[in-house]
Amino acid sequence: MRVFKFGGASVKDANGVKNVVKVLQEVGYENTLVVVSAMGKTTNSMEAIVDAYFNEKANLPSKIQEVTEYHASILKDLFPNKEHLIYQRVKELFDEVKGFLAWNKSPNYNFVYDQVVGYGELTSTSIISAYLNEIGMQNTWLDVRTLIKTNNIYRDTTVNWEKTQEQISEKVNKKVLNITQGFLGSDDNNFTTTLGREGSDYTAAILAYCLSANSVTIWKDVPGVLNADPRYFKETQLLNKISYKEAIELAFYGASVIHPKTLQPLQRKEIPLHVKSFLNPKNDGTTVGKGNGIEPKVPCFIVKKDQVLMKLSSLDFSFIVENNISDLFKLFHDYKMKVDLIQNSAISFSVCVDNRFGRLQELLDTLKSRFKVVHQEGVSLYTIRHFNTEAISSLQNGYEVLLEQRAKETVQLVVK
Ligand code: ASP
Ligand code: MG
């Protein structure tokens, strides 16, 4: 059996839903489980509802109205018959959201978030399942919350694999077309939990693992995994094959390929992951699987913009590494700076960090009491996997290189 995943962008409007139908018709849909995200940017809109509930109650009705109208317009395009039961079903789902918020007594933001935000996926899958049935593609709608069991750390939950396996073995009929939600699970009290933003790929991997599926396909608006982000690079190339290990390496350096969490369960059972275009479903796209490296073997470029480069040296010319390195890493951790790269010499230590939580000034103040600190903001970190001289010089031309570090397969450049 196969697991498919369609993201929000692929079902952002009625045409998107019709295109899902086209993909399924082209590639077949027997023994298939389809995981779907919330439509378009619905998860952001659901987050805005939660935010209004806690911080700006007066805005709550209009925020709910916005999401309701968005789905109503998609429904109108897909179901000309206004008496269709799906209209009632979608209304019920939004009534549940309103009811929950009206009765809720919990001040726990993360708990409320998980109870509310998941309605994006519950709604999208209800609409898609009904539409498929309507046009004669019989399918079973599954509530993924009855399948994926988790702990109760809301918004960042951990899967209980044993219980999940039990539920899936018991409840999923592999022989039919199943439609279910990405992103969601439930705890021991059956409260909804979420797997973290962009968690639907991980859902597909969890289900594939427990079903021992033959493959997972993520359908995207790009032809597959490219060797560079087309937003920043003019020439990009499609990668045909990537090994699990290489995909994890690329993700580690910041490529938004596929989240390592998604790869782990697949790698354990050696289930191949296909990344394909939902516009050209017959094209091969990219396969992540067993094996080595990448194919074709071309340099892969990963860029992280808006990083901070710091050079620290000791005030008294003592060796910085031996005496201070563990303290330094503790500070980076405490101030939530993700360390991208380090380089040290006898008396200085350079580090490139991601100031994601905006706590740079606080950190600098602390550091300056103990070290001489020179820092530069707004630098970019380029990583090239499988580099060659041409790839490196393509970056050296036009940028000022502040720091360079080479390993066997990887070169990293901090540039301004
Ligand atoms: N809908 C969720 C999000 O936007 C999960 C996903 O799309 O993977 O984060
Ligand atoms: Mg989404």
Side-chain angles (χ1 to χ4, degrees):
M1 87 164 305
R2 298 173 303 180
V3 175
F4 287 175
K5 182 258 174 173
F6 287 93
S10 67
V11 290
K12 66 175 193 298
D13 51 26
N15 279 335
V17 176
K18 289 176 185 166
N19 188 62
V20 169
V21 171
K22 193 165 150 266
V23 171
L24 294 177
Q25 284 168 339
E26 271 187 48
V27 301
Y29 52 89
E30 277 157 31
N31 312 337
T32 304
L33 187 151
V34 180
V35 174
V36 190
S37 303
M39 292 172 151
K41 304 255 178 264
T42 298
T43 305
N44 295 350
S45 311
M46 299 307 289
E47 285 184 343
I49 291 176
V50 179
D51 207 57
Y53 173 77
F54 278 103
N55 302 316
E56 199 75 73
K57 274 254 165 59
N59 289 344
L60 189 56
S62 71
K63 294 289 172 199
I64 296 177
Q65 184 69 10
E66 222 174 85
V67 201
T68 316
E69 277 169 15
Y70 169 63
H71 288 93
S73 84
I74 296 176
L75 279 175
K76 196 171 113 242
D77 284 348
L78 293 174
F79 301 91
N81 171 14
K82 290 277 145 45
E83 304 303 313
H84 197 289
L85 283 177
I86 187 64
Y87 285 95
Q88 187 54 34
R89 178 70 192 129
V90 170
K91 185 179 175 300
E92 278 164 16
L93 288 168
F94 283 104
D95 285 346
E96 280 178 31
V97 174
K98 289 180 211 162
F100 171 80
L101 291 175
W103 289 103
N104 173 61
K105 296 280 182 287
S106 169
N108 179 342
Y109 191 100
N110 293 344
F111 168 77
V112 172
Y113 178 104
D114 278 4
Q115 306 324 301
V116 170
V117 168
Y119 278 91
E121 270 74 12
L122 293 168
T123 309
S124 71
T125 51
S126 298
I127 295 175
I128 291 162
S129 169
Y131 185 68
L132 292 174
N133 277 329
E134 180 71 9
I135 61 165
M137 290 164 80
Q138 291 314 317
N139 68 88
T140 305
W141 183 89
L142 295 171
D143 185 337
V144 82
R145 297 171 299 177
T146 66
L147 304 176
I148 296 185
K149 299 304 292 182
T150 70
N151 68 9
N152 62 359
I153 309 296
Y154 299 106
R155 284 184 85 175
D156 188 21
T157 192
T158 302
V159 174
N160 180 327
W161 287 92
E162 228 167 273
K163 286 189 185 158
T164 300
Q165 179 68 66
E166 249 170 53
Q167 294 303 313
I168 290 178
S169 305
E170 185 187 313
K171 293 185 174 137
V172 180
N173 175 0
K174 297 191 193 188
K175 297 249 147 33
V176 299
L177 171 61
N178 290 292
I179 309 288
T180 199
Q181 308 77 41
F183 189 40
L184 312 180
S186 73
D187 67 12
D188 284 344
N189 293 313
N190 297 323
F191 283 115
T192 307
T193 53
T194 62
L195 300 167
R197 287 303 306 264
E198 306 305 324
S200 295
D201 291 359
Y202 185 41
T203 303
I206 298 166
L207 295 171
Y209 180 91
C210 294
L211 291 161
S212 293
N214 298 94
S215 67
V216 172
T217 306
I218 298 179
W219 297 97
K220 283 189 165 280
D221 56 359
V222 287
V225 179
L226 305 172
N227 73 324
D229 187 333
R231 284 175 301 175
Y232 306 121
F233 293 88
K234 267 192 249 108
E235 283 163 43
T236 58
Q237 243 176 300
L238 177 69
L239 303 175
N240 305 118
K241 288 210 177 74
I242 310 176
S243 68
Y244 296 114
K245 185 172 163 290
E246 183 65 28
I248 290 172
E249 292 275 0
L250 291 170
F252 171 78
Y253 289 111
S256 53
V257 221
I258 299 127
H259 198 278
K261 227 173 157 181
T262 300
L263 292 167
Q264 278 153 11
L266 300 179
Q267 179 180 29
R268 266 188 279 153
K269 282 203 178 168
E270 296 189 347
I271 300 169
L273 171 72
H274 306 295
V275 181
K276 291 189 186 212
S277 158
F278 58 67
L279 299 171
N280 298 296
K282 287 264 169 70
N283 291 3
D284 286 336
T286 302
T287 299
V288 182
K290 268 199 308 187
N292 274 315
I294 49 169
E295 197 251 284
K297 199 161 180 193
V298 291
C300 296
F301 295 82
I302 301 145
V303 54
K304 283 190 181 176
K305 301 256 174 189
D306 208 17
Q307 307 294 296
V308 183
L309 181 64
M310 281 183 236
K311 187 175 174 183
L312 310 169
S313 33
S314 50
L315 296 167
D316 59 358
F317 283 94
S318 64
F319 290 158
I320 200 160
V321 174
E322 284 162 21
N323 304 341
N324 303 297
I325 204 136
S326 67
D327 294 353
L328 279 171
F329 272 94
K330 184 166 184 314
L331 283 175
F332 294 137
H333 179 78
D334 291 347
Y335 288 95
K336 293 192 187 301
M337 299 280 167
K338 192 171 165 292
V339 175
D340 294 324
L341 177 153
I342 53 174
Q343 196 167 67
N344 62 279
S345 71
I347 52 165
S348 81
F349 176 83
S350 295
V351 58
C352 188
V353 295
D354 199 338
N355 178 28
R356 213 181 294 163
F357 292 89
R359 298 185 63 184
L360 180 64
Q361 198 51 51
E362 283 174 79
L363 172 67
L364 288 173
D365 291 343
T366 311
L367 288 172
K368 279 180 179 159
S369 63
R370 289 178 52 192
F371 304 97
K372 183 165 164 266
V373 187
V374 183
H375 86 283
Q376 220 165 344
E377 294 177 50
V379 302
S380 300
L381 171 66
Y382 284 86
T383 302
I384 315 176
R385 289 278 296 165
H386 315 292
F387 61 92
N388 53 30
T389 35
E390 206 189 324
I392 296 175
S393 52
S394 75
L395 288 182
Q396 282 166 337
N397 297 336
Y399 291 114
E400 182 195 347
V401 177
L402 304 171
L403 192 151
E404 176 177 331
Q405 187 161 287
R406 283 185 201 218
K408 192 158 160 271
E409 291 284 359
T410 313
V411 61
Q412 294 192 286
L413 302 170
V414 179
V415 305
K416 181 88 185 174

